[in-house]
Structures are given as structure tokens and as C-alpha cells.
Amino acid sequence: MKGSLIVVAFFIAGCLLSWYLSAQDITIGGDAGRYVLYLLMFQVGLSIGSDTNMVRILKSIRPKLLLVPLATITGTLLFSALAAFFITKWSLFDCLAIGSGFAYYSLSSILITELKTASLGVQLATELGTIALITNIMREIMTLLGAPVFVKYFGRLAPICAGGATTMDTTLPIITKYSGKEFAFIAILHGISVDLSVPFLVSFFCSL
């Protein structure tokens, strides 16, 4: 929760700085966003590669466990597609790109903004990236606040599916608290699997 609020604060600070620089006729290089994106992708690799449990997790993978991240990805894309029928401004593929963030708001928002600029223009691409940021932050917050409700009504796997890519880090403590410590391994494997899918799925839907 605190981490999400910090991200929002930095986002607002970036908007204010951009507006100030625009008012002063100062422009930021067009490649700045791309370099930030590269840095984020590098950070994703570092975070996964430096996980001391990675080898143990890989050795313990059973095909049945992969159904959990598959269910998360499938369910998210399905409801993202359904949402597109109620949103006239954005296309089906735009909604799918937003949903493909799976609560990984920092990467998905920058990736969408960068990739959609060519087809939508800077203003609309930035707006779509902002929607992705807010949507995926809300997903994380809803998981943090709603985990006990999800477990009560939908089962102990529900908070894991709701958490998306965050189940390997920020939402892991709340998942183990309400789902049980025996679900920690599934949550970590789920988070890694969904995390890896974000750049591929977002890029794919942004290209359509």
C-alpha cells in the first residue's frame, strides 16, 4: 500500500515537473522514456535472477502449478476484453494491453506510453499509459485490502490470482497471512510467471 502511494507521488511529481518545463519552453529528450523502459527491463531481470530461491523453485515446478498463472492471465484478459464493450474511447486491444500489466504498474504504463505514441500520438498514448498506471495500482491495492474477503468467498488461491505479478513481492505477506504459509511457494512461482508475461503481452497487444 505504502509502495503504491509512493509511486503515485512520483508520478504526480513528474507531471508537475513536465508542466513546469513546458511552461519554460524546456523540452526533455524524446529518448528519455525509452531509456527508462530499458532500465526497468534490466531491473526485472535483476530481480528475478538474484532471487536465491530461483533454482529451488525451478526444480520444484510441477505442470499443475502452472495452471494458477495461466488462470490469472486468461481471466484478466477475458474481463479486459469484456470491459472494452463498455468503453468507447479505447479499442479492444488497448484494453487488453492495460489488463496485461497484471498490477505491474511501473513497467506496463511506460511500455504502453512508449509503444502507442506512434499510432495514437503523445497525448493519447500518455493518457492510455496513465490509465494503465492507475488501473494496475488499484489492482494491487484491492489485493492488499481484499485478501481476507477473497479467501472467504472464493478460496485460498483467489488472492494469488488477484495479485497478478505482485505475488512474488509486495502482496506475498498478505497472501501468506490469509491463504496460509503453504501457499507462499505457489504465490512466488505465480508472480514470476506472470511477471515474465507482462512485456510480451503488453507489446503484443500494443502492436495490434
Side-chain angles (χ1 to χ4, degrees), residues 67-80:
L67 292 176
V68 182
L70 181 61
T72 297
I73 293 171
T74 303
T76 300
L77 295 181
L78 175 61
F79 280 92
S80 296

Side-chain angles (χ1 to χ4, degrees), residues 1 6 15 24 44 65 82 85 111 124 136 144-145 154 166 177 182:
M1 181 82 171
I6 291 174
C15 290
Q24 301 298 319
V44 171
L65 293 177
L82 290 175
F85 289 101
L111 193 57
L124 286 178
N136 286 290
L144 291 171
L145 298 178
F154 304 107
T166 67
K177 179 178 179 180
E182 63 271 26

Side-chain angles (χ1 to χ4, degrees), residues 42-52 54 104 168-169 195:
F42 181 68
Q43 185 271 331
V44 171
L46 284 179
S47 64
I48 294 176
S50 63
D51 191 338
T52 56
M54 179 60 67
Y104 198 160
M168 62 183 287
D169 42 56
D195 199 337

Side-chain angles (χ1 to χ4, degrees), residues 2-13:
K2 181 180 178 181
S4 298
L5 294 176
I6 291 174
V7 171
V8 173
F10 272 98
F11 172 75
I12 294 173

Side-chain angles (χ1 to χ4, degrees), residues 25-103:
D25 292 326
I26 300 174
T27 58
I28 301 176
D31 292 332
R34 186 177 300 110
Y35 293 133
V36 171
L37 177 59
Y38 294 157
L39 182 61
L40 279 172
M41 295 302 297
F42 181 68
Q43 185 271 331
V44 171
L46 284 179
S47 64
I48 294 176
S50 63
D51 191 338
T52 56
N53 295 317
M54 179 60 67
V55 176
R56 179 176 61 83
I57 290 172
L58 292 176
K59 288 181 177 179
S60 303
I61 291 178
R62 300 191 303 274
K64 187 177 180 181
L65 293 177
L66 295 177
L67 292 176
V68 182
L70 181 61
T72 297
I73 293 171
T74 303
T76 300
L77 295 181
L78 175 61
F79 280 92
S80 296
L82 290 175
F85 289 101
F86 301 96
I87 302 173
T88 57
K89 183 174 182 178
W90 305 107
S91 70
L92 169 65
F93 299 120
D94 291 337
C95 293
L96 289 172
I98 292 172
S100 296
F102 302 115

Side-chain angles (χ1 to χ4, degrees), residues 81-150:
L82 290 175
F85 289 101
F86 301 96
I87 302 173
T88 57
K89 183 174 182 178
W90 305 107
S91 70
L92 169 65
F93 299 120
D94 291 337
C95 293
L96 289 172
I98 292 172
S100 296
F102 302 115
Y104 198 160
Y105 43 79
S106 56
L107 176 61
S108 61
S109 59
I110 292 178
L111 193 57
I112 288 173
T113 302
E114 183 72 21
L115 294 176
K116 296 297 290 187
T117 297
S119 59
L120 296 179
V122 175
Q123 182 174 345
L124 286 178
T126 303
E127 185 177 340
L128 189 64
T130 303
I131 294 172
L133 174 71
I134 296 172
T135 300
N136 286 290
I137 285 179
M138 287 177 63
R139 179 168 184 166
E140 179 182 336
I141 293 175
M142 287 175 65
T143 303
L144 291 171
L145 298 178
V149 178
F150 296 154

